[in-house]
Amino acid sequence: MALTDIWFLLIAVLWTGYLVLEGFDFGVGMLLPFVGRDAVDRKVTLRTIGPVWDGNEVWLLVAGGATFAAFPFWYATLFSGFYLALLIILVALILRGIALEYRGKLDDSSWHRRWDLVIVGSSAVPALLWGVALANIVRGVPMGADHEFAGNFFTLLNPYALLGGVTTLLLFALHGAIFLALKTHGEVHDRALKLVPPIGLATVVAAAAFLAWTQAFDGSALTWTLALAAALCLIGALAASRFGREGWAFVGTAATIALAAATLFTTLYPNVLPSTTDAAFSLTTVNAASTHYTLKIMTWVAVIFTPVVLAYQGYTYWVFRKRLGRTDIYQPAEKVTS
């Protein structure tokens, strides 16, 4: 296997890891008003992701950095052509980080409500736009021989891409609901479980339509197999949740996201950004890649440091594995209903 193929695979793995881990973060943020009926419940909800949300975003930084170093022409076209969409995502992620950090700085109900609105909005916007971006990468965008994006922001808002955005929005919400059911007990747990069936039904419909549409572009036996496996994992997650097996349900939604991402990247290969103007203008793993020497150095760096990062993040999840409930939250007198 050529180094260009290895790095395409590694970047696909990095993006998949980001979508799986940040996916439940976004889901928890979007569901905050629905599972947190008072101040204590909202604290329980946010503390489920408190120790891990910023670590999950490291996957995005590494994925972006790896794309820049391994495939600079892909990075250049992607980040210039998708500039406005990615800027909106970046602003949302910044606001989300600020909200999660500053929400608890004052013991004031109006202060909390304002930041809660920011958390909900800044979780929903990236959840939607990441799906739009990924769908456009797979479908292709108008590009000339110079590999410059020839469209605008509204070119990206085509029906297929919007369906992709709705799919990721719903899938992340479902992932977050099941994560909350796994990580909490008491009222937050019960409310999260009640949200799973309606969100799950909508997710099944949207995901089935999106994956079928994706296969209509350039489906193969492998991508059909991956898409079918994603569908089975999603159904299995809903069944496990119904029988109170939240751990298996979470594994199911995580596998669904991973297999859906694998379907998209497998459909994309050997392109990294197809051109809808002329197939000859498409960026591929060959014409978008860095030099062999650069890829070789990057490979050694990845071999050395990737296991360290994985071990540290795995340890973090192990340390904070305990379920949370109202009794784990300090409740000042006369403040619990604010």
Side-chain angles (χ1 to χ4, degrees):
M1 183 181 291
L3 284 177
T4 53
D5 296 331
I6 291 173
W7 273 98
F8 178 84
L9 177 61
L10 289 175
I11 288 171
V13 170
L14 289 170
W15 279 108
T16 300
Y18 171 71
L19 296 173
V20 169
L21 296 175
E22 191 83 304
F24 70 76
D25 277 359
F26 290 147
V28 170
M30 288 187 284
L31 298 178
L32 180 61
F34 304 99
V35 296
R37 300 293 176 82
D38 61 24
V40 178
D41 284 346
R42 289 191 287 274
K43 285 183 180 180
V44 171
T45 301
L46 293 176
R47 286 193 182 183
T48 61
I49 61 172
V52 298
W53 71 266
D54 48 355
N56 293 342
E57 290 191 350
V58 171
W59 287 76
L60 173 61
L61 299 177
V62 177
T67 304
F68 170 76
F71 300 101
F73 294 103
W74 183 16
Y75 181 93
T77 302
L78 187 63
F79 279 75
S80 60
F82 291 34
Y83 177 79
L84 182 56
L86 294 175
L87 177 62
I88 293 172
I89 291 174
L90 178 61
V91 171
L93 292 177
I94 292 172
L95 290 174
R96 184 167 172 269
I98 293 173
L100 288 170
E101 293 292 341
Y102 276 74
R103 183 188 185 278
K105 297 300 182 181
L106 289 180
D107 187 16
D108 179 77
S109 59
S110 60
W111 172 270
H112 292 165
R113 283 194 296 269
R114 286 194 291 270
W115 285 120
D116 287 347
L117 290 175
V118 174
I119 291 171
V120 174
S122 60
S123 297
V125 169
L128 175 71
L129 290 183
W130 279 130
V132 170
L134 287 170
N136 276 293
I137 291 172
V138 173
R139 174 181 177 269
V141 295
M143 285 192 300
D146 56 358
H147 302 308
E148 291 289 335
F149 177 64
N152 54 47
F153 176 72
F154 296 101
T155 304
L156 304 177
L157 302 180
N158 55 79
Y160 172 71
L162 290 174
L163 178 58
V166 170
T167 300
T168 53
L169 181 75
L170 291 171
L171 187 53
F172 291 166
L174 177 63
H175 198 35
I178 290 176
F179 177 77
L180 281 172
L182 174 65
K183 284 288 295 177
T184 62
H185 56 80
E187 295 181 8
V188 174
H189 170 273
D190 295 341
R191 294 188 193 115
L193 273 184
K194 289 180 180 179
L195 290 171
V196 170
I199 298 175
L201 178 60
T203 304
V204 168
V205 174
F210 178 64
L211 290 177
W213 197 343
T214 301
Q215 296 311 297
F217 287 136
D218 190 21
S220 65
L222 177 57
T223 55
W224 272 111
T225 301
L226 291 171
L228 178 60
L232 292 175
C233 286
L234 179 56
I235 295 171
L238 296 176
S241 175
R242 182 176 179 82
F243 289 102
R245 304 298 297 272
E246 291 97 354
W248 284 111
F250 184 74
V251 170
T253 51
T256 300
I257 296 172
L259 288 166
T263 303
L264 296 179
F265 279 101
T266 303
T267 302
L268 179 63
Y269 180 83
N271 293 320
V272 293
L273 189 60
S275 170
T276 57
T277 306
D278 189 324
F281 302 154
S282 297
L283 286 169
T284 69
T285 56
V286 176
N287 64 17
S290 292
T291 64
H292 179 81
Y293 182 69
T294 299
L295 295 177
K296 185 176 181 181
I297 293 176
M298 289 175 59
T299 302
W300 280 110
V301 172
V303 167
I304 294 171
F305 289 103
T306 300
V308 176
V309 173
L310 291 175
Y312 172 77
Q313 192 159 30
Y315 177 72
T316 301
Y317 276 92
W318 174 255
V319 169
F320 295 101
R321 66 189 182 277
K322 179 185 174 182
R323 287 180 183 257
L324 299 174
R326 294 176 67 90
T327 56
D328 299 298
I329 304 298
Y330 172 67
Q331 304 178 37
E334 300 180 358
K335 290 292 184 180
V336 297
T337 59
S338 62

